[in-house]
Amino acid sequence: MTLPLPTAPLRVAAVQLVSGLDVAENLARAAHWVGEAAGQGAQFVGLPEYFCLMGQADEDKRAIAETFATEPQAAHQPLQHALQALARRHGVWLHGGTLPLHADGGKVSNSSLVYAPDGRLAARYDKIHLFAFDNGRERYDEGRVQAAGATPTALDVAGWHVALSVCYDLRFPELYRQLGPNLICAPAAFTHTTGQAHWQLLLRARAVENLSYLMAPAQGGLHANGRRTWGHTTIVDPWGDILAELPEGEGLALATLEPERLRQVRSQLPALQHRRL
């Protein structure tokens, strides 16, 4: 898929959090950093995976799961309502990291919701690839609680074709190939072990092979549940150059994405036109 290039720059901000066990506090920290990003001129702001809760166990997601609503109510969908209100208040495109939504079989989806500056729901993406890892010391299996999504998703953000993905999706390059992105969004909560080994490698590879910008907001630090996430929230350009990076702790990575940079790289290296399979 080859789509027209955007015509105007896009100022983006990736938020890094160290979310804990208190949903209200996590929402407050997210709101703080969305406000900071908007104050620094960001038009598109991304939160990390699990921004609303890093619980003691995966099962904790069930307790805060919401029913999906295009017009959320504060009493029934407080997480969705909070994201919508933040986008509207600051007049930004807001990528809400991920939050749990009710799914079949008593499971939850790990869902990304994107809200437009007027509060309109612009996209929903349910994480397709569910993380599993066991090295004898650490063990994770998201499939025990989460239901996998099935639909690759992209949307238009101010003329930029944006591909949505989440964390473990980064290991599956075929997801992005069919979407033809100008910008890849990959909110994450990488473990310290896998992040130290593969995080930057995966981010730069996905950007380079798609000749696309990439924005990866992350969880980054030691959480109240004892888990340590890798952090290193990063923004990468289509040549694989790192434009902004935040190693650990709360904060922002900001960058301005330039259409001319996309045009330049794709003109010099027309790899997207050389695909055969």
Side-chain angles (χ1 to χ4, degrees):
M1 178 187 294
T2 302
L3 296 170
L5 293 179
T7 59
L10 184 68
R11 181 73 167 164
V12 301
V15 177
Q16 184 159 287
L17 297 174
V18 189
S19 299
L21 306 175
D22 187 321
V23 174
E25 176 62 19
N26 295 334
L27 280 175
R29 299 314 302 156
H32 167 79
W33 288 110
V34 172
E36 287 289 312
Q40 296 187 50
Q43 301 159 272
F44 183 59
V45 183
L47 298 174
E49 185 180 25
Y50 303 141
F51 82 94
C52 52
L53 180 70
M54 290 287 284
Q56 293 285 10
D58 279 348
E59 287 76 7
D60 294 347
K61 297 178 181 66
R62 290 192 177 110
I64 67 163
E66 296 181 358
T67 299
F68 174 63
T70 55
E71 291 295 333
Q73 304 299 310
H76 303 293
Q77 293 95 14
L79 298 173
Q80 295 170 77
H81 186 267
L83 292 174
Q84 181 187 56
L86 277 173
R88 185 180 289 140
R89 181 186 315 149
H90 296 291
V92 297
W93 291 87
L94 180 59
H95 184 310
T98 69
L99 53 83
L101 297 176
H102 290 299
D104 293 339
K107 292 188 175 184
V108 300
S109 61
N110 194 15
S111 299
S112 286
L113 302 178
V114 182
Y115 292 91
D118 61 1
R120 169 182 56 87
L121 179 69
R124 170 183 172 174
Y125 167 70
D126 296 341
K127 184 178 182 180
I128 291 175
H129 303 99
L130 302 183
F131 179 56
F133 179 71
D134 187 348
N135 66 358
R137 300 181 306 278
E138 304 167 82
R139 185 177 185 276
Y140 303 92
D141 183 4
E142 290 182 332
R144 290 189 303 105
V145 171
Q146 297 179 28
T151 306
T153 303
L155 75 155
D156 182 278
V157 174
W160 288 74
H161 190 63
V162 180
L164 302 183
S165 62
V166 177
C167 200
Y168 191 52
D169 284 331
L170 283 164
R171 297 183 184 273
F172 302 89
E174 64 273 15
L175 172 65
Y176 306 97
R177 274 300 197 205
Q178 63 185 290
L179 295 173
N182 305 137
L183 169 63
I184 293 168
C185 289
F190 256 58
T191 70
H192 192 272
T193 301
T194 58
Q196 188 173 36
H198 300 146
W199 174 248
Q200 189 183 100
L201 171 67
L202 290 167
L203 298 184
R204 297 182 70 198
R206 296 297 83 83
V208 167
E209 69 197 10
N210 290 286
L211 299 175
S212 170
Y213 284 97
L214 185 148
M215 179 173 80
Q219 295 282 354
L222 182 62
H223 302 265
N225 62 7
R227 178 175 172 182
R228 187 179 178 192
T229 47
W230 176 241
H232 291 78
T233 287
T234 302
I235 301 171
V236 187
D237 90 345
W239 194 246
D241 292 335
I242 294 176
L243 302 181
E245 182 178 15
L246 180 63
E248 198 169 52
E250 285 192 3
L252 298 173
L254 293 113
T256 300
L257 313 186
E258 299 286 353
E260 177 57 25
R261 181 59 168 162
L262 276 176
R263 188 206 63 77
Q264 177 191 50
V265 170
R266 293 182 181 188
S267 174
Q268 293 175 351
L269 182 66
L272 296 177
Q273 301 173 34
H274 297 160
R275 293 174 59 199
R276 292 294 179 265
L277 301 179

